[in-house]
Amino acid sequence: MRTQVVIIGAGPAGLLLSHLLAADGVESVVLETRSREYVLARIRAGILEHSSVELLTDVGLGERLARESMPHRGIYLHTPEQRTHLDFVDLVGHGIHVYGQTDLTRDLVDARVRGGQQLVYEVTGTALHDIDTARPYVTFVDADGAARRIDADVVVGCDGSFGPSRQAVPDPRTWERTYPYAWLGVLADVAPSTDELIYAWHPDGFAMHSMRSAAVSRLYLQVPPGTDIAEWSDDRIWTALAARLGHGRDGWTLTPGPITEKSVLPMRGFVAAPMRHGRLFLAGDAAHIVPPTGAKGLNLAIADVARLAPALGALLRGDGALAAAYSDTALARVWRCQHFSWWMTTMLHVTDDPFDAQLQLAQLRWVASSEAGARGLAENYTGLPLR
Ligand code: FAD
Ligand code: DHB
């Protein structure tokens, strides 16, 4: 086989990149290790920045998003002292949208299938070759067990944190932070007990109330890393959420319901640079991971490919300037988001040091009471402009 761009990984980064390239007349093939059903069922992030929504709408992916996403003006910051609503629309002129990564992935897969683009699922043994030449190629074994090879002009690694693409960059510089906490995330068939997300600081640990629809809630609890999910019965989860989110205070109540999914997520910050080597480019989690507190992982993957698609289009037409700038420009945004995610994470997650707790509460009081403090959070949370 031959194509212009081989994209490794059918997560949001790979699927959106393929869509953006097609709109620019560039042909691509997407390779994915998992099955279509697995990719479509994966439950992950839930918040789209204003600029992500704008981009998706501009490129014809906004129809279901406009109908089914939940536009939110802001978030609540909650502590045992107070609950404060930060109104992002008032503070910075726009809000965010709650839209599950699952829904976005379905929109992207549907658009790829409608566009007749090639999506090859259940591949194994993906290997990259000759990426420092103008004729790179990728080999893999297809679902029927046949060895295959695709020749291309460019290979893009959108294969997440465990894929082979990052390993193909010789001597990358890497930075890593492992946070000393994890999240226990649950999905529950119960109407959200709040109109907008609640981010809560509590001496027992962070908690968050998010949602997926008018009938489905998404909630998270800070737990120690390595926590065994078996230790957390549904009752224990709801009791901890009620305590940390302030059930019973000022008339607010948390309504529990049947939990349909639960998992423990480690929290890590990671960056690998450069995001390009020869004709290999990296985008999304393949190059960087952020802890989830700032809701940036999915949005950063979108931002990377929004920058990469026009760069590849120009490169294939003979102008390599944008492609040469890609790694540096993408990394500037990555580090801004890495910083914001670290800031939100360290402000809201409890450690065993009582000095930390007082610093966190002082910072939360400042954000809740100062327009400058609130605006800084709002600007970062809703997302900096893509271009
Ligand atoms: P991915 O979505 O990881 O996609 C990579 C794809 O590459 C996958 O489909 C994978 O199967 C495929 N692949 C891997 N290896 C190969 C190979 N060898 N060959 C072919 N294909 C391959 N972010 C938030 O902002 N908020 C959250 O609450 C949140 N929760 C998360 C929960 C979990 C469990 C995880 C893992 C991530 C979460 N994230 C969250 C992060 C967010 O989901 C990611 O940042 C986002 O999915 C990045 O998109 P991506 O396309 O770069 O990578
Ligand atoms: C969700 C996840 C996040 O990491 C976050 O900061 C906000 C919401 C969610 O899954 O809904």
Side-chain angles (χ1 to χ4, degrees):
M1 278 170 92
R2 172 156 184 89
T3 189
Q4 288 180 287
V5 180
V6 178
I7 298 171
I8 305 176
L15 291 167
L16 179 59
L17 178 64
S18 169
H19 183 86
L20 297 176
L21 289 174
D24 194 21
V26 175
E27 187 192 69
S28 62
V29 173
V30 181
L31 303 178
E32 167 60 49
T33 40
R34 302 289 191 167
S35 68
R36 184 169 190 266
E37 296 66 39
Y38 184 96
V39 167
L40 287 171
R42 229 169 4 199
I43 295 160
R44 286 184 170 177
I47 302 297
L48 290 179
E49 290 175 358
H50 167 73
S51 34
S52 300
V53 171
E54 256 182 1
L55 172 83
L56 294 166
T57 306
D58 285 352
V59 299
L61 293 165
E63 195 209 329
R64 211 163 64 90
L65 175 64
R67 214 174 44 241
E68 293 181 18
S69 70
M70 307 165 90
H72 281 190
R73 291 183 67 93
I75 58 167
Y76 295 96
L77 277 186
H78 181 93
T79 70
E81 295 166 7
Q82 57 182 348
R83 179 174 295 187
T84 310
H85 185 245
L86 302 184
D87 191 312
F88 297 158
V89 180
D90 285 349
L91 288 161
V92 293
H94 42 250
I96 45 151
H97 284 243
V98 176
Y99 196 60
Q101 185 168 331
T102 323
D103 298 294
L104 175 62
T105 305
R106 187 165 33 147
D107 296 347
L108 289 165
V109 169
D110 287 351
R112 296 299 61 235
V113 171
R114 269 201 313 276
Q117 203 78 21
Q118 291 211 58
L119 269 170
V120 187
Y121 292 100
E122 297 181 64
V123 306
T124 49
T126 318
L128 297 82
H129 308 270
D130 291 355
I131 52 167
D132 38 18
T133 75
R135 294 265 162 267
Y137 64 98
V138 176
T139 54
F140 60 97
V141 175
D142 70 18
D144 298 324
R148 305 270 298 271
R149 163 176 170 154
I150 310 185
D151 291 85
D153 299 310
V154 169
V155 176
V156 185
C158 296
D159 44 359
S161 43
F162 304 109
S165 300
R166 192 171 63 236
Q167 270 74 44
V169 176
D171 301 323
R173 171 118 199 246
T174 61
W175 296 261
E176 182 160 17
R177 166 121 337 153
T178 304
Y179 292 88
Y181 10 78
W183 276 13
L184 193 168
V186 303
L187 203 62
D189 275 343
V190 60
S193 298
T194 178
D195 56 342
E196 296 193 339
L197 271 61
I198 305 170
Y199 282 78
W201 183 99
H202 188 275
D204 294 348
F206 169 74
M208 179 166 59
H209 190 331
S210 180
M211 61 197 72
R212 285 293 176 273
S213 70
V216 176
S217 296
R218 176 82 167 140
L219 301 115
Y220 297 97
L221 283 170
Q222 175 187 346
V223 292
T227 291
D228 179 359
I229 198 88
E231 292 165 17
W232 285 84
S233 67
D234 293 5
D235 275 353
R236 184 178 176 199
I237 290 171
W238 284 114
T239 303
L241 285 167
R244 297 186 196 183
L245 291 167
H247 174 83
R249 233 198 42 213
D250 300 330
W252 183 80
T253 54
L254 175 70
T255 309
I259 289 178
T260 56
E261 198 263 351
K262 52 179 158 180
S263 53
V264 174
L265 323 172
M267 294 181 76
R268 198 160 76 96
F270 175 84
V271 180
M275 288 170 64
R276 174 193 188 175
H277 175 75
R279 286 294 179 104
L280 169 66
F281 295 79
L282 301 178
D285 279 17
H288 42 74
I289 307 288
V290 288
T293 325
K296 288 292 165 225
L298 170 60
N299 292 291
L300 258 186
I302 293 174
D304 281 354
V305 299
R307 206 175 282 283
L308 183 56
L312 295 183
L315 178 69
L316 294 171
R317 288 187 286 271
D319 176 358
L322 284 176
Y326 167 71
S327 180
D328 286 347
T329 48
L331 283 165
R333 188 185 188 93
V334 167
W335 277 112
R336 174 88 296 280
C337 293
Q338 199 66 254
H339 180 271
F340 178 65
S341 305
W342 164 85
W343 182 74
M344 287 286 280
T345 302
T346 50
M347 177 169 71
L348 287 161
H349 289 73
V350 172
T351 69
D352 51 13
D353 183 341
F355 196 90
D356 284 346
Q358 294 308 318
L359 293 177
Q360 291 169 331
L361 288 168
Q363 182 77 350
L364 283 159
R365 279 183 217 116
W366 176 67
V367 172
S369 61
S370 146
E371 192 170 317
R375 188 170 286 135
L377 189 154
E379 188 175 79
N380 281 281
Y381 197 101
T382 58
L384 301 168
L386 280 176
R387 294 189 186 93

